[in-house]
Amino acid sequence: MQITSSIKIGISACLAGEKVRFDTGHKRSNFCMDELVHHVEYVKFCPEVAVGLPIPRPTIRQVKVGDTIKVCGPDGSGDVGEQLTEYGKRVATEQAKSLSGFVFCAKSPSCGMERVKIYNEAGTGNTSEGIGFFAKQIMTHNPLLPCEENGRLNDPHLRENFVMRVYVFKSWQELVASPVGLHELTQFHAKHKYLVMSHNYESYRALGRYLAHAAAEPIEQVKDNYISGLMNALSSPASRKNQTNTLTHLQGYFKNDLSKIEKQELCSAIDEYRKGLVPLYVPLTLLKHHLKVHPNEYLAQQVYFDPYPNELKLRFGI
């Protein structure tokens, strides 16, 4: 995938190694700061410091008081919920539009995407159903923005899916930075056809049908509907079944080019992947080799083969 300008990702500052936590510590993400950092530009945020809390500082938590949730100290003092919300709205509407993804600090009362603890007023119990006040604003105002938490990035499937969505979203941002028509949208979809197929076959068909019959709609509406459908289709990691189906479709392009032994080798690689015996990069490497030997212009433009830099080795673990 060709990206012509730097990819900007928002990140909780503590994950970038900055000592901004309540205890002057950090929660540095090795993946973000040792691997992904070579391919993206980070924009760092610590909402708690941004609203005026000092370093070090007393811990804060989400506390339910009646029908209201406060973000305050364990004793109920120093509520900064409103300030965190306003700061989140400001970042979401002024800065997040230039971002192609966001990595949040898990379980934080300000930055957690999900499962943030909400304590009762007496402090004797809690539920894990909250969302960080800052993170909520970013996600609410930018529903298509790829977002993930540091802990979940330890899962190879979630990590690969997040990075893939960041690169697709950045490619979309570059496309629509200039005026585009239905032709350009159709070309964009054609390049992402097999990537979508590998995640959601029904969405793959639906998006193609939609663009084929969208000529009568206003182009801005078509753009909004298409990118919403695309990002939703890619929102979850691809299943082994869908990946196998996609690999089999791609294999069909070479049915008249390969020798009997080469066909058997490719079939075996795909089947071993289906059974979980080898990772995805094994059959993909074979397909890419055959594509070099037997060039196909349509396949060569497919984002599925290289959705992000190979140096990240994200398909080695899935």
Side-chain angles (χ1 to χ4, degrees), residues 129-188:
E129 56 188 25
I131 301 174
F133 275 40
F134 172 76
K136 183 176 182 179
Q137 296 304 315
I138 302 299
M139 295 188 294
T140 298
H141 289 276
N142 303 277
L144 301 181
L145 182 70
C147 295
E148 197 49 273
E149 291 185 327
N150 57 315
R152 285 166 51 91
L153 288 176
N154 292 322
D155 181 303
H157 293 86
L158 296 176
R159 183 167 62 240
E160 188 274 342
N161 183 255
F162 170 68
V163 175
M164 176 274 297
R165 288 185 291 127
V166 166
Y167 272 81
V168 170
F169 195 57
K170 174 62 176 179
S171 184
W172 172 259
Q173 290 172 314
E174 291 193 340
L175 175 72
V176 297
S178 303
V180 297
L182 187 58
H183 174 69
E184 288 77 16
L185 296 184
T186 302
Q187 285 185 316
F188 182 88

Side-chain angles (χ1 to χ4, degrees), residues 212-316:
H213 299 90
E217 293 185 32
I219 191 61
E220 291 302 317
Q221 180 179 321
V222 177
K223 285 160 58 178
D224 289 345
N225 290 341
Y226 176 77
I227 190 56
S228 178
L230 177 64
M231 297 309 293
N232 286 332
L234 301 177
S235 62
S236 298
S239 69
R240 193 172 293 273
K241 179 181 178 181
N242 284 343
Q243 291 278 26
T244 301
N245 181 49
T246 302
L247 293 168
T248 302
H249 271 80
L250 293 169
Q251 178 188 22
Y253 282 90
F254 301 101
K255 62 183 179 182
N256 297 323
D257 299 316
L258 305 185
S259 67
K260 183 177 180 180
I261 293 177
E262 288 173 326
K263 289 178 182 178
Q264 290 176 341
E265 181 185 38
L266 183 54
C267 283
S268 295
I270 294 174
D271 194 52
E272 287 180 345
Y273 166 74
R274 180 185 65 82
K275 295 175 180 177
L277 301 177
V278 299
L280 180 61
Y281 86 92
V282 172
L284 266 177
T285 299
L286 266 180
L287 282 168
K288 290 166 75 172
H289 165 73
H290 292 313
L291 182 56
K292 286 182 179 180
V293 177
H294 308 286
N296 181 298
E297 185 176 351
Y298 177 68
L299 286 190
Q301 69 176 350
Q302 288 301 314
V303 172
Y304 179 75
F305 285 111
D306 294 293
Y308 37 69
N310 289 328
E311 292 85 352
L312 288 168
K313 301 178 183 179
L314 295 174
R315 282 170 161 170
F316 282 44

Side-chain angles (χ1 to χ4, degrees), residues 49-121:
V49 172
V51 300
L53 296 181
I55 306 169
R57 57 184 176 273
T59 59
I60 58 174
R61 57 172 59 169
Q62 292 191 10
V63 179
K64 189 168 187 179
V65 181
D67 293 330
T68 303
I69 297 177
K70 301 167 60 177
V71 184
C72 56
D75 61 357
S77 64
D79 181 19
V80 292
E82 185 174 342
Q83 293 98 306
L84 288 171
T85 295
E86 288 305 312
Y87 175 67
K89 286 181 181 178
R90 198 158 65 245
V91 171
T93 56
E94 296 175 6
Q95 292 179 264
K97 303 300 181 183
S98 66
L99 303 178
S100 302
F102 211 113
V103 183
F104 293 106
C105 182
K107 301 181 181 179
S108 161
S110 58
C111 288
M113 281 177 60
E114 58 185 10
R115 300 188 306 278
V116 174
K117 288 184 178 180
I118 302 177
Y119 291 82
N120 62 31
E121 192 171 1

Side-chain angles (χ1 to χ4, degrees), residues 16-54:
E18 295 193 1
K19 297 180 179 180
V20 294
R21 287 176 57 78
F22 72 96
D23 58 358
T24 73
H26 60 78
K27 298 193 73 173
R28 186 181 187 276
S29 165
N30 291 336
F31 171 69
C32 290
M33 302 314 296
D34 293 337
E35 299 179 53
L36 190 57
V37 69
H38 300 298
H39 306 280
V40 305
E41 176 184 341
Y42 289 119
V43 183
K44 304 167 190 175
F45 300 91
C46 180
E48 295 173 22
V49 172
V51 300
L53 296 181

